[in-house]
Amino acid sequence: MAIHVVRLGSPRARGEGLRLGTVRRPPRGVPKAEHASRDFYDVWLPELAPSEALVKQALRATDQRSWAAFVRRYRAEMKRPEAARLLDLLAALSRQADFSVGCYCPEVSRCHRSVLAALLREHGALLA
Protein backbone atom coordinates (compact mmCIF):
# COMPACT_ATOMS: atom_id res chain seq x y z
CA MET A 1 0.00 0.00 0.00
CA ALA A 2 1.38 3.38 -0.95
CA ILE A 3 0.92 6.66 -2.78
CA HIS A 4 2.40 6.92 -6.26
CA VAL A 5 3.36 10.37 -7.54
CA VAL A 6 2.63 10.56 -11.28
CA ARG A 7 2.39 12.81 -14.29
CA LEU A 8 -1.26 13.10 -15.26
CA GLY A 9 -1.94 11.95 -18.79
CA SER A 10 0.88 9.39 -18.69
CA PRO A 11 0.03 5.69 -19.02
CA ARG A 12 -1.01 4.16 -15.72
CA ALA A 13 1.47 1.88 -13.99
CA ARG A 14 0.42 -1.50 -12.68
CA GLY A 15 -0.81 -1.23 -9.09
CA GLU A 16 -1.05 2.53 -9.20
CA GLY A 17 -4.67 2.54 -8.07
CA LEU A 18 -7.06 5.45 -8.15
CA ARG A 19 -5.60 8.68 -9.59
CA LEU A 20 -6.19 11.98 -7.82
CA GLY A 21 -5.65 15.09 -9.89
CA THR A 22 -4.06 17.69 -7.63
CA VAL A 23 -4.25 20.40 -10.28
CA ARG A 24 -5.92 23.80 -10.41
CA ARG A 25 -7.66 23.18 -13.75
CA PRO A 26 -9.04 20.12 -15.59
CA PRO A 27 -7.21 19.13 -18.80
CA ARG A 28 -8.11 21.42 -21.71
CA GLY A 29 -10.23 20.00 -24.46
CA VAL A 30 -10.89 16.72 -22.67
CA PRO A 31 -14.53 15.96 -21.86
CA LYS A 32 -15.11 15.27 -18.15
CA ALA A 33 -16.35 11.77 -18.99
CA GLU A 34 -12.94 10.97 -20.52
CA HIS A 35 -10.61 12.22 -17.75
CA ALA A 36 -10.10 8.70 -16.35
CA SER A 37 -10.04 6.81 -19.65
CA ARG A 38 -7.36 9.15 -20.99
CA ASP A 39 -5.20 8.55 -17.89
CA PHE A 40 -5.60 12.01 -16.41
CA TYR A 41 -7.41 11.35 -13.13
CA ASP A 42 -10.33 9.53 -11.56
CA VAL A 43 -11.04 12.20 -8.95
CA TRP A 44 -10.19 15.89 -9.16
CA LEU A 45 -8.71 17.30 -5.93
CA PRO A 46 -7.84 20.96 -6.65
CA GLU A 47 -7.64 21.73 -2.92
CA LEU A 48 -4.09 20.32 -2.96
CA ALA A 49 -3.04 22.36 -6.01
CA PRO A 50 -1.22 25.67 -5.67
CA SER A 51 -3.43 28.76 -5.86
CA GLU A 52 -3.80 30.51 -9.21
CA ALA A 53 -1.18 33.11 -8.22
CA LEU A 54 1.26 30.40 -7.14
CA VAL A 55 0.82 28.45 -10.37
CA LYS A 56 1.88 31.60 -12.23
CA GLN A 57 4.82 32.05 -9.87
CA ALA A 58 5.94 28.45 -10.41
CA LEU A 59 5.79 28.84 -14.18
CA ARG A 60 8.02 31.94 -13.93
CA ALA A 61 10.53 30.27 -11.57
CA THR A 62 13.65 30.00 -13.72
CA ASP A 63 16.29 29.72 -11.01
CA GLN A 64 16.72 28.01 -7.66
CA ARG A 65 15.95 31.14 -5.67
CA SER A 66 12.60 31.79 -7.37
CA TRP A 67 11.70 28.09 -7.12
CA ALA A 68 12.50 28.11 -3.39
CA ALA A 69 10.18 31.12 -2.97
CA PHE A 70 7.41 29.18 -4.70
CA VAL A 71 8.02 26.16 -2.43
CA ARG A 72 7.79 28.31 0.72
CA ARG A 73 4.50 29.85 -0.40
CA TYR A 74 2.99 26.51 -1.47
CA ARG A 75 3.96 24.94 1.86
CA ALA A 76 2.26 27.87 3.61
CA GLU A 77 -0.92 27.27 1.59
CA MET A 78 -0.86 23.59 2.53
CA LYS A 79 -0.87 24.53 6.25
CA ARG A 80 -4.43 25.83 5.89
CA PRO A 81 -6.77 23.59 7.93
CA GLU A 82 -8.62 22.23 4.87
CA ALA A 83 -5.40 21.27 3.09
CA ALA A 84 -3.76 19.88 6.24
CA ARG A 85 -6.80 17.66 6.87
CA LEU A 86 -6.61 16.33 3.31
CA LEU A 87 -2.90 15.60 3.70
CA ASP A 88 -3.67 13.71 6.94
CA LEU A 89 -6.45 11.79 5.20
CA LEU A 90 -4.25 10.77 2.27
CA ALA A 91 -1.46 9.77 4.64
CA ALA A 92 -3.85 7.52 6.55
CA LEU A 93 -5.29 6.05 3.34
CA SER A 94 -1.78 5.27 2.09
CA ARG A 95 -1.55 2.59 4.78
CA GLN A 96 -4.73 0.92 3.48
CA ALA A 97 -4.72 1.29 -0.30
CA ASP A 98 -2.67 2.07 -3.38
CA PHE A 99 -3.53 5.34 -5.12
CA SER A 100 -1.74 8.12 -6.91
CA VAL A 101 -1.54 11.90 -6.93
CA GLY A 102 -0.34 13.93 -9.85
CA CYS A 103 0.03 16.98 -12.01
CA TYR A 104 0.59 17.70 -15.71
CA CYS A 105 4.13 19.13 -15.45
CA PRO A 106 6.73 17.25 -17.49
CA GLU A 107 9.58 17.83 -14.98
CA VAL A 108 8.84 16.58 -11.46
CA SER A 109 11.68 18.61 -9.89
CA ARG A 110 9.95 21.84 -11.02
CA CYS A 111 6.43 20.75 -10.18
CA HIS A 112 4.37 21.14 -7.04
CA ARG A 113 3.97 17.34 -6.95
CA SER A 114 7.57 17.04 -5.71
CA VAL A 115 6.68 19.32 -2.80
CA LEU A 116 3.37 17.51 -2.32
CA ALA A 117 5.24 14.20 -2.02
CA ALA A 118 7.45 15.69 0.70
CA LEU A 119 4.40 17.08 2.52
CA LEU A 120 2.68 13.71 2.38
CA ARG A 121 5.77 12.03 3.87
CA GLU A 122 5.82 14.64 6.63
CA HIS A 123 2.19 13.76 7.40
CA GLY A 124 3.18 10.10 7.71
CA ALA A 125 2.22 8.81 4.27
CA LEU A 126 3.78 5.75 2.68
CA LEU A 127 5.06 6.61 -0.80
CA ALA A 128 5.91 4.13 -3.54
Side-chain angles (χ1 to χ4, degrees):
M1 313 299 165
I3 301 173
H4 302 258
V5 180
V6 301
R7 181 177 183 198
L8 301 178
S10 65
R12 292 176 190 249
R14 191 164 202 258
E16 181 182 305
L18 188 76
R19 264 193 189 186
L20 305 176
T22 60
V23 290
R24 182 66 33 214
R25 302 250 185 261
R28 283 190 174 163
V30 179
K32 186 177 182 178
E34 295 179 20
H35 289 170
S37 65
R38 290 202 194 174
D39 290 331
F40 284 102
Y41 51 76
D42 301 296
V43 177
W44 185 30
L45 197 59
E47 295 82 2
L48 293 181
S51 65
E52 189 88 28
L54 271 184
V55 169
K56 290 177 183 176
Q57 181 180 351
L59 293 172
R60 290 190 311 263
T62 57
D63 59 21
Q64 190 55 38
R65 184 176 178 192
S66 57
W67 178 253
F70 161 77
V71 170
R72 279 191 303 278
R73 289 188 60 203
Y74 177 58
R75 282 180 163 277
E77 286 186 354
M78 293 300 102
K79 287 182 181 175
R80 291 185 331 256
E82 314 82 46
R85 282 192 296 272
L86 281 173
L87 291 169
D88 287 339
L89 171 65
L90 295 182
L93 287 174
S94 74
R95 295 182 209 98
Q96 303 293 321
D98 287 316
F99 62 94
S100 56
V101 296
C103 182
Y104 311 119
C105 299
E107 180 55 49
V108 70
S109 67
R110 288 296 179 144
C111 177
H112 83 279
R113 71 183 184 260
S114 64
V115 183
L116 181 57
L119 288 165
L120 287 164
R121 271 190 206 93
E122 291 163 18
H123 281 255
L126 301 174
L127 273 78

